[in-house]
Amino acid sequence: MEIIFEQVKDKNKIPALLDLCRAAGRASNGSSWNDEYPNSEILSRDIDVGQLFEIYADGECAGIICMGEEEEELVGLPWQHPAHHASEFSRFCLAADKQGKGLARPALEAAFSHARARGYDAAHILVTTCHEPVSYTHLRAHETCAD
């Protein structure tokens, strides 16, 4: 399965991406996503800073992920290490029809590779702890981008 990331630059895509996120949240057991989060303002900011990506699996849009610099308010948390240049992954979402098909882990591994190619040597993944399927996938994925 080929997984690629395409940076979202067109804000006209926001309504369709929000539909994808909300349907994914409804389909996913334990998701905290709803009609208020994420919202158009959040995705618009992610686009403005160049951190929102569509995930394509075998040429088909399979979800989204926000990848980039760590948010300023999160700097200094206990998991950070001064030797690492870490990317932050957030708003990871797989479309409802892509969930439960073994795509999450390969998508995260591809995200680590993408981050490594952009000069990061670690990644921090933000996930709601009550969302057990996603938390488990994140725990099983690599903790850093380093080989």
Side-chain angles (χ1 to χ4, degrees), residues 53-106:
F53 293 83
E54 287 179 287
I55 302 167
Y56 284 87
D58 293 332
E60 188 176 331
C61 184
I64 65 167
I65 189 168
C66 187
M67 296 187 286
E69 297 294 321
E70 292 185 295
E71 295 288 339
E72 191 171 313
E73 65 265 17
L74 298 178
V75 172
L77 291 175
W79 64 68
Q80 294 170 328
H81 189 279
H84 292 298
H85 177 57
S87 178
E88 179 181 288
F89 297 170
S90 61
R91 287 179 275 296
F92 175 55
C93 166
L94 292 178
D97 65 332
K98 304 295 184 204
Q99 295 177 19
K101 298 184 177 176
L103 181 59
R105 186 172 181 175

